Amino acid sequence: EAIALMKMNEIRHLPVTENDQVVGIVSERDLVAHFGKFWSSRLCMKDIMNTSLLSVYAHENLGVVAFKLSREKKGSAVVLD
């Protein structure tokens, strides 16, 4: 279901929320690593999510965000408003 959602929206990351708070992120790579394994049908997003997040605000300068992504060696950031 998550892979289909990513393909439909042409995205590579999904936030994982709990009580309206972002608690993690799952990448397409995370999903593909587990897809088709005998245990994959028992996994939930929380089982494979990455909890080390970089959060930025929608009004932040793109250059500053790119620097933060590079400095923290992240491939994505959660954008907050």
Side-chain angles (χ1 to χ4, degrees), residues 1-65:
E1 184 178 334
I3 291 173
L5 184 60
M6 287 178 177
K7 284 186 178 226
M8 183 175 67
N9 291 287
E10 297 180 354
I11 56 175
R12 296 183 303 138
H13 299 86
L14 291 173
V16 180
T17 60
E18 186 174 279
N19 300 322
D20 294 327
Q21 298 287 343
V22 177
V23 294
I25 193 165
V26 173
S27 71
E28 183 179 44
R29 185 181 301 174
D30 297 331
L31 292 170
V32 170
H34 295 284
F35 190 75
K37 306 288 197 256
F38 70 90
W39 66 82
S40 64
S41 63
R42 296 184 296 238
L43 292 175
C44 295
M45 297 292 273
K46 286 183 80 169
D47 296 326
I48 63 171
M49 71 180 181
N50 184 340
T51 57
S52 175
L53 301 173
L54 173 62
S55 297
V56 298
Y57 290 96
H59 66 273
E60 281 191 65
N61 178 280
L62 187 56
V64 172
V65 172

